Amino acid sequence: PNKHMTDVYEGSTASTLNVTKAGDSDGGFYQCSAKSDEGQLFSDVAEVTIHYFESIAASSEVLTVESSPGATRTALPCSLAMGSSFPASTVSWYKDEELVSEETAFMVHAATILKVESLSDMTVSANSLVLYNIKSGVAGNYKCVATVASDKLTVKSQTVAEYRVNVTKEFNDVAYFSSTLSVGGTTVTAGETATLYCGTVGYSSGATPSYSWYKVGSDGATEQVTENQMDYNRTQVLSNVMTSESYTCKACLSGTCMSDIITLSVTQATATLQFVVSPPSYLIYEMGKDEGALDINCTTSLGKGNWLRDGSSVSLPISSPSGSDSGSYQCYAGNTDSWKMQSTQVLVLEALTLKMTGTNTSLTCTVTGSPTPAVSLYKAGYSGEKDELEMCSGNTTKGCVTHSGDEYGVALNTTDLEVSGNYSCSAAHSYRQADGEVARKEGTGIIKLSSPRNWKCRVKDKQHPDSFMEVRWS
């Protein structure tokens, strides 16, 4: 059974487990166990995922802003609690029930770095909507909507925040351009989307700077990037970022140009650990019947699992398995977030063999097989009685059974006529088959020993002491 199972539902004779009002805590791995007097079986492990979308109480706020040069921005936060849904929700912004246009606003992703000199204290969090180039047309009703893509949920979308934005007036300032350009560095996880922002201090609405982006190669050479730009090319969006790179932003206004470099650092994501192919709970490898190496398929989301046998490290596959390779195998894998393990009981089945040899001084019963057989030796006299020979103990070495490896031996006392008779060796092993039935295999060997003795009888004549008659026999 899986050693990491935490909840156990016992005593049921039903084949179905019902969980009413399932919640997030009911997600995880489940395993069924069936038990009877014959033994216990375990099913494969099933993973249960709970889809949910917690109820959101939408916030509401009225904002009044002044029209201003395009470099001044106003942020509309959209605070969505982490873990409020599964699968994770996506956020969209609407103005007057229509998706917000990129010409007047952009949404901040978790990887965005925003540096605005004139509003250095402005708090910009993930999912916020940043309004720029504010004019009277920016006014309206804004709302942030979270949506979960799941056909298991009844409620798939909820409003997180609503704003009424009012604009008071417009500026018609003479164009001006800062002598500095503000960009910064950012870090994203491999495979995510990165948003790079190039910000100038200020300009009037009638004289917008032109922006261009360049990718910097390892040799310092630059190559212009022209796709996936918005906010008058001020913002560069990079999808499915896999490697760390540097980019240059260039801004020009009225013949004056400036540029700066932004460094994008990419970190590798921590894989979610799960078993893709789980090993069986019980496996029999029968020598002489199964061909090839002993191997167990255990694949995780991190690749092939590692193996232990009876608590010690072991490498699979095993090219030439033997009975000694039987045992409890554990497939395990882990990362910095978690470790998981699944167990397999392996039996390498080796045919039962028995060979019995002997002389007038000793006999040997050689037994092989896996699982290890139980062995007994017996002696039957000429009258037919059958007695089991005991294992030797202490200094006693004759007339009892000694054991070394596959050999069971008996040293005979040749001065005792009682060693003669029929000796038998019995061996048996039993094991659970893959279908749960118990199989038993037995073997018996018999050998007949007679202790040869030379006897003589001498008859003397009392009247003639030096005379006698002698009879010899064996």
Side-chain angles (χ1 to χ4, degrees), residues 281-283 296 308-310 323-330 344-348:
S281 59
Y282 187 65
L283 176 67
I296 309 173
L308 298 174
R309 181 181 65 217
D310 297 330
S324 61
D325 293 310
S326 300
S328 178
Y329 286 68
Q330 292 84 33
T344 298
Q345 191 66 34
V346 175
L347 170 62
V348 178

Side-chain angles (χ1 to χ4, degrees), residues 111 184-188 194-196 238 241-247 262-266:
T186 185
T187 300
V188 296
T195 303
L196 309 182
L238 304 171
V241 179
M242 300 304 295
T243 58
S244 299
E245 297 168 338
S246 295
Y247 290 83
I262 183 169
T263 301
L264 178 64
S265 299
V266 178

